[in-house]
Every structure is written in structure tokens, then in C-alpha cells.
Amino acid sequence: MAAPLSRQKLLREWKLYFFIVPSLAMVLAFVYYPAASAIYHSFFEWAGGDTRHWIGLDNFSRAFHDKVLMGSFLTVSILVIFNLFQMIPSILLAVLIHRLRSDRWQFIYRVLLVIPMIVPGLVTLFIWKFFFDPSLGVLNSLLDATGMKDVLVSLDHLFGWGVFFANAPIAWLSQPALILPSLFIWGFPWIGVVGVLIFLAGLQSIGQDIYEAAELDGVGPFKKFLYIEFPLILTQMRLNLVLLIIGTVGGYGLQLELLDIYGGPGGRGMVPGLWMYNRAFFNGEFGYACAIGMILFAFILLLTFVNNRYVRVDK
């Protein structure tokens, strides 16, 4: 146990604390001050200038009666649920890399995973926008080449969706009914680089003696995952769930780039972050946008609490 910091030692080494002043000042200026400003201005009718008018909780009352905002929370909840399933490929890939007997090949695969991280996120979004292009996009070309489009057209006739037509390209980002499926397809095969590396870190902390004991008991590869690896990476899973919740609920760059400021046709791709951005920078309602941000923060906090409460780590 570390000895308590004495007053004499603090006074003697006070110069050392100047090294943390620049970092502390930047955190206060660029993290805590904007957050405090958002809380303060959420109680005002404010257009972003020096003029503001106190309205109390009116912004919050308006938000809870805002049909677009409430619909966006439903959309983002669906995305969170779907993204939970997107964690499965990351877990499986981490397990496969971890089970490689060659340390050299493990290193090579980790490097191959990290390389895509150097590509700017905006470039990735532009690539995916081209991927969904109805005329030149890779997705429609792939469906035509494999005959899957004919299957989709047949299913459309059977169920009466009115979405897929034989003589017309599939407009993935222009039809309201296809907006959510497009957001689901985005990122395929859903290998999250950061998630894989976090899971790998958890797997590498498992002692070799545990695997040796399991092999002596005749435990197969699937049971190793089910009874050893999966329970012992629940800590990393809980961390990944927190990152997933924050990224999905708070993010809006994907929807802004693939769709538009209104969430695409019929607003089917609208999420709370995008509506907050819309109200602030396209409607000049910065006070109302701050109130949306506070509600969004509370929603993320609630989901994080549920995650920490029910994802138990019993090793």
C-alpha cells in the first residue's frame, strides 16, 4: 500500500506538478467547459450569439413532445440491438487469432487488423456510399452477378414489400424501407478493430495451465470457448459494450454522410445526434440542441448502468 502524500513532500516537490498543468488546462478548456456550457445553455432560448433568454425547462418539455426526436431514439435503439450481434464476428476472430500456435502469425494478423485504422473515417464513409450506389455500386453488381436480386424480387412479390423490382436498380439509400437494412449492412463483415484487440488482450491473460488442464479432461475447441474463453473475457465484453453504446447512441457521422441532414427519405435514418446537429447548425436552435444533448447523455448513462448491472463478471 502506497504511503500517504505528506505535506512536507508536497511542498518540497511542488515544481513537479507544473508538468500536469498544460494537460489539466486543456482538459478543462476543451472537455469540461463545453459540457458545463451545454448544461447551462439548455435552459435558455439561445441562437448561438450573446443574446439568450431564460426559459427554464421548456426545451426539455419540447424535446419530450418532439415526434422526430422520439422516433430517432427508437431508431438508435434498434441499431444498438443489431450492433450487439455485430460483436460476434469480432469475438470469433479474436479467438481464432489467439489460438494460432505461431507467435509470428499472431503478430502478422494483429498488424493486418491495425492497418485499416490509418484510413480516415470520412474516406471509409465515402467508400461505403459508393458501395450502395444504385447504378455503379458494388452491392447491386454483386447481387446481379450472384442472382440474389432475382431472389429478392421473388420475395418482394411474395410478401408485397414494393421495394425490389426486376427492371430497376435497388436504391438502398433512397427508399425509406431500405434505410435501416443499409445501416445494418454497413461495416460488413463487422470486424471491429478496437474490439478485436480488446478481446485479444483478455484472451492472452488466460494462463496456459488452464488450457492444459482442459485438454487433459478432453475438452474440445467449442467447449474451450464456452467454458473457458467466453467467461474470462466478460470484462472486455463489458468494456466493448460501453464503447458500443457510446458510439452508436452518440454518433451521427454515418447517417450524415450516407443519408443527409434529415436522415434520408422519410427521416428513417434519423438518430438523436443527427437531430441535435440539425437543430443547432441548420435551424439555429442551439439552446434546444443543448437540451437534446443532455437527454442523450442521460440515455447513454442509463444504458451504461444497465450494462454494468446485468453483465456480471464472475471469474
Side-chain angles (χ1 to χ4, degrees):
M1 183 176 179
L5 187 64
S6 65
R7 183 171 180 271
Q8 291 77 12
K9 186 177 181 180
L10 182 64
L11 292 174
R12 185 172 65 252
E13 300 178 357
W14 64 271
K15 293 181 181 179
L16 297 177
Y17 293 93
F18 277 106
F19 287 102
I20 69 171
V21 170
S23 298
L24 181 61
M26 293 183 69
V27 169
L28 290 174
F30 297 106
V31 178
Y32 288 102
Y33 174 74
S37 176
I39 295 172
Y40 173 75
H41 286 103
S42 65
F43 299 101
F44 289 85
E45 182 181 341
W46 180 49
D50 295 330
T51 304
R52 59 181 67 87
H53 175 64
W54 171 268
I55 56 175
L57 297 175
D58 286 0
N59 280 329
F60 295 93
S61 176
R62 174 187 170 187
F64 285 109
H65 291 87
D66 189 334
K67 293 182 179 180
V68 175
L69 180 62
M70 293 299 105
S72 71
F73 272 104
L74 176 61
T75 300
V76 84
S77 298
I78 295 172
L79 291 176
V80 168
I81 294 171
F82 180 76
N83 287 343
L84 293 177
F85 293 96
Q86 287 188 350
M87 292 179 63
I88 296 174
S90 298
I91 295 173
L92 295 179
L93 181 60
V95 171
L96 290 174
I97 294 175
H98 174 66
R99 290 188 181 182
L100 289 174
R101 296 187 180 276
S102 170
D103 292 337
R104 180 170 177 268
W105 277 106
Q106 283 193 21
F107 174 77
I108 290 173
Y109 278 111
R110 287 199 297 268
V111 171
L112 291 175
L113 277 172
V114 171
I115 287 175
M117 294 180 67
I118 66 176
V119 180
L122 188 60
V123 174
T124 304
L125 291 177
F126 276 124
I127 292 173
W128 273 97
K129 191 168 185 177
F130 174 76
F131 182 83
F132 286 117
D133 187 275
S135 302
L136 304 174
V138 177
L139 181 56
N140 279 352
S141 299
L142 183 63
L143 293 176
D144 288 333
T146 58
M148 285 300 298
K149 182 180 178 182
D150 295 333
V151 175
L152 292 174
V153 172
S154 299
L155 290 173
D156 191 301
H157 288 316
L158 180 64
F159 294 103
W161 294 333
V163 174
F164 303 107
F165 305 98
N167 299 320
I170 303 173
W172 292 97
L173 302 178
S174 301
Q175 297 189 63
L178 293 179
I179 295 298
L180 277 179
S182 299
L183 295 179
F184 294 160
I185 294 171
W186 179 84
F188 182 83
W190 309 305
I191 301 296
V193 176
V194 175
V196 173
L197 295 178
I198 291 174
F199 287 129
L200 267 175
L203 290 167
Q204 289 172 349
S205 67
I206 302 174
Q208 191 61 34
D209 55 331
I210 298 177
Y211 285 105
E212 292 173 355
E215 289 174 0
L216 289 174
D217 290 337
V219 177
F222 178 73
K223 286 188 175 180
K224 279 183 185 178
F225 171 75
L226 194 62
Y227 296 115
I228 297 175
E229 292 166 335
F230 182 75
L232 293 178
I233 61 171
L234 283 178
T235 300
Q236 287 73 30
M237 182 170 293
R238 196 158 75 170
L239 173 61
N240 271 323
L241 282 172
V242 171
L243 296 177
L244 181 148
I245 290 168
I246 295 173
T248 305
V249 177
Y252 60 90
L254 169 65
Q255 290 80 8
L256 178 61
E257 179 55 39
L258 292 186
L259 305 171
D260 54 37
I261 192 63
Y262 296 103
R268 295 296 294 272
M270 180 62 70
V271 291
L274 183 58
W275 188 238
M276 177 179 65
Y277 178 83
N278 180 299
R279 295 297 87 188
F281 296 101
F282 280 79
N283 222 45
E285 298 177 324
F286 285 89
Y288 182 52
C290 289
I292 295 175
M294 293 302 99
I295 296 171
L296 195 56
F297 166 74
F299 187 64
I300 293 173
L301 196 63
L302 175 64
L303 292 181
T304 305
F305 171 78
V306 171
N307 171 51
N308 293 335
R309 176 69 175 80
Y310 292 102
V311 180
R312 297 188 176 276
V313 182
D314 298 323
K315 296 189 178 181

